[in-house]
Amino acid sequence: MQELYTQSPAGLSSLEVGKVLRNTYALLGMTIAFSAVTATISMAIGFPYLGLFMLLPYIGLLFAVEKTKNSAAGLFWVFALTGYMGLTLGPILTHYISMSGIEPVIMALGGTALIFFGLSGYVLVTRKDMSFITGFMMTGFIVAFVAMLASAFLDISGLSLAVSCMFLVLSSLLIMWQTSNIIHGGETNYISATVTLYVSLYNIFTILLSFLGGSDD
């Protein structure tokens, strides 16, 4: 009898890989929509810009997602995390809309969508294994995070712009890496995959917005 599915290198069938991919994209779409709602609420109530302090709740929520990703509670924490990220996006949107109008926001959204569909589509079509960039990305994110802290406390010309460019490139690579990890059976948890893709999109959108809005901060 002919096989109705193929096996991935990790031993997952193509049907199982497809299920993870569909669940990831479905949850990603819902979390983005939920973030849009919380961002709108944030703008309406004048939620303050938290700066680096936003990282404290973010890390806590990320830890909660990781601990519960294999249970139904993981879905609650995913929406808690992405809802919080929407809240932090509110004051950023308010700033750029008041400074440059709605056009930079629309262009940043379009650019983010183009990057996401272009990069993930490339991996899905070519089925390229991106595992070879794992070490590079880990090192890159550490360097970029340290540089981000330095730019926040040190007045070094051009450092903030360099940090933005580093995060833009690394977040784009992360989209390709995570998509590849799913289709090659390395990622079997759609909650983890969703969070990785969501954070990448958040970074890309805010960085593009800063470029288009005329700021490197």
Side-chain angles (χ1 to χ4, degrees):
M1 181 177 179
Q2 185 178 5
E3 288 287 338
L4 298 179
Y5 58 86
T6 58
Q7 293 288 328
S8 71
L12 294 180
S13 71
S14 58
L15 293 178
E16 292 170 318
V17 169
K19 181 179 179 181
V20 175
L21 197 62
R22 288 192 302 272
N23 287 342
T24 297
Y25 286 156
L27 184 57
L28 181 63
M30 288 187 286
T31 54
I32 290 174
F34 184 58
S35 291
V37 172
T38 58
T40 302
I41 294 173
S42 175
M43 295 172 68
I45 65 176
F47 190 79
Y49 178 64
L50 301 178
L52 287 179
F53 290 105
M54 72 163 285
L55 291 175
L56 297 178
Y58 167 75
I59 292 172
L61 290 168
L62 201 61
F63 177 78
V65 171
E66 182 62 25
K67 293 290 290 184
T68 60
K69 65 182 181 181
N70 294 314
S71 66
L75 290 173
F76 169 82
W77 288 111
V78 165
F79 280 99
L81 172 64
T82 55
Y84 168 72
M85 297 297 283
L87 285 177
T88 64
L89 193 58
I92 299 174
L93 293 174
T94 298
H95 168 74
Y96 285 108
I97 291 174
S98 64
M99 186 172 65
S100 306
I102 194 67
E103 291 83 4
V105 177
I106 296 175
M107 292 177 65
L109 283 172
T112 302
L114 184 63
I115 290 173
F116 174 72
F117 288 116
L119 295 179
S120 59
Y122 167 76
V123 175
L124 289 172
V125 170
T126 64
R127 301 192 66 81
K128 188 173 181 62
D129 186 354
M130 302 297 297
S131 60
F132 67 94
I133 65 172
T134 302
F136 170 79
M137 287 195 309
M138 290 180 63
T139 303
F141 274 115
I142 293 173
V143 172
F145 184 74
V146 172
M148 180 186 71
L149 294 177
S151 69
F153 297 104
L154 302 175
D155 185 17
I156 301 177
S157 177
L159 182 57
S160 180
L161 178 60
V163 170
S164 294
C165 291
M166 282 190 288
F167 272 108
L168 180 60
V169 172
L170 289 168
S171 295
S172 298
L173 289 175
L174 190 57
I175 290 174
M176 298 176 70
W177 178 87
Q178 183 63 88
T179 305
S180 172
N181 206 25
I182 294 173
I183 65 175
H184 290 287
E187 177 62 82
T188 60
N189 189 292
Y190 69 94
I191 289 178
S192 292
T194 297
V195 170
T196 300
L197 292 175
Y198 176 92
V199 173
S200 298
L201 292 174
Y202 182 97
N203 287 338
I204 292 171
F205 172 70
T206 53
I207 292 167
L208 289 181
L209 183 57
S210 72
F211 291 163
L212 296 168
S215 172
D216 65 350
D217 188 1

